Amino acid sequence: VFFAISIVILVFSFYAFLTKGFNAGIDFKGGSITEVAYDKAPDIETIKNILSKAEFSGARVQMAGQSSVIVETRALSEIDHQNILKALSLDGYKMEEKRFSSIGPIIGKELRSKAWMAIVMVILGIVLFIAYAFRHVSEPISSWKYGAITTLTLLHDIIVPAGIFVWMGKEVDTLFVVALLSIMGISVHDTIVVFDRIRENLKNKVSNDFSTTVGMSLRQTFTRSINTSLTVMLVLAILFFYGPASTKDFSLILWIGIFVGTYS
């Protein structure tokens, strides 16, 4: 039943990848981010209309807190930077620029390739470490199989939250990659705890039947794993609802990933 649930969710995730695709952020496709703060809450639609008239059509405008606005555009030159600041200077409002960053498409492509490399290297490192750590536990399962199982689990635990994130139309940036790497770390932590208990029970010969030993090991670690995950998920939920806008998507995908990892 539970394998069937995972298969259905994985199929849904791949369907989201194929139909919607990744909404690459400025970090990966290049562009500029301008964040300004006003002395009172501005009207988003007014800002969008002004930017459109100022030849910044297609700009993504979103609120950050109660009175700050984040504008994402194509890569801007210094002249364009000053022009967009003039456009954002609304009548009757005091405005202050909080940050400006611009990334070219070449740098964005390099960051994208490095992100994939980081994920692959982390998975490879984890597999090699587990195969080494469990090298003395070769009966009845070879040590490398522990690493292979961990790899499948990690792929499951990052594909599902990534698919949900893509389906929701969220932007994929470097924080998204950091979240996936964090999910992998937390997920493999739970997996190693279970494997380590299996190793101890095998050494202590608590049962001559391997499946009985595994079942006993799982029961002995269930409470610890669930309590640990629930504690982190509670913190992330508070961060999502009460934290700054810049960390909402980060805390959301971490929450989903930890939930999926605990389930797996």
Side-chain angles (χ1 to χ4, degrees), residues 12-66:
F12 167 81
S13 299
F14 283 113
Y15 177 76
F17 296 152
L18 293 174
T19 57
K20 289 182 173 290
F22 287 94
N23 179 22
I26 286 175
D27 295 349
F28 295 143
K29 69 180 180 181
S32 297
I33 296 179
T34 306
E35 182 177 356
V36 295
Y38 296 94
D39 57 340
K40 53 186 176 181
D43 181 62
I44 288 292
E45 292 303 321
T46 300
I47 293 177
K48 288 181 179 179
N49 292 332
I50 291 174
L51 291 176
S52 181
K53 292 177 182 178
E55 298 182 356
F56 292 106
S57 58
R60 184 184 177 190
V61 183
Q62 60 180 349
M63 292 295 298
Q66 295 183 342

Side-chain angles (χ1 to χ4, degrees), residues 199-249:
R199 177 172 60 177
E200 290 178 4
N201 288 334
L202 285 173
K203 287 182 179 179
N204 295 331
K205 300 185 183 300
V206 297
S207 173
N208 293 324
D209 181 53
F210 180 67
S211 60
T212 302
T213 302
V214 171
M216 184 183 301
S217 303
L218 286 169
R219 286 193 297 273
Q220 291 171 347
T221 54
F222 267 149
T223 304
R224 172 230 165 262
S225 295
I226 292 175
N227 286 343
T228 303
S229 298
L230 285 177
T231 305
V232 181
M233 289 169 67
L234 176 62
V235 175
L236 291 173
I238 294 173
L239 182 62
F240 176 79
F241 288 108
Y242 298 103
S246 57
T247 61
K248 281 189 179 296
D249 288 349

Side-chain angles (χ1 to χ4, degrees), residues 82-101:
Q82 295 303 320
N83 289 335
I84 199 170
L85 289 179
K86 290 180 181 178
L88 292 171
S89 300
L90 306 178
D91 294 334
Y93 291 83
K94 289 183 179 179
M95 185 202 74
E96 177 187 2
E97 184 181 22
K98 296 180 69 175
R99 66 172 170 136
F100 173 77
S101 59

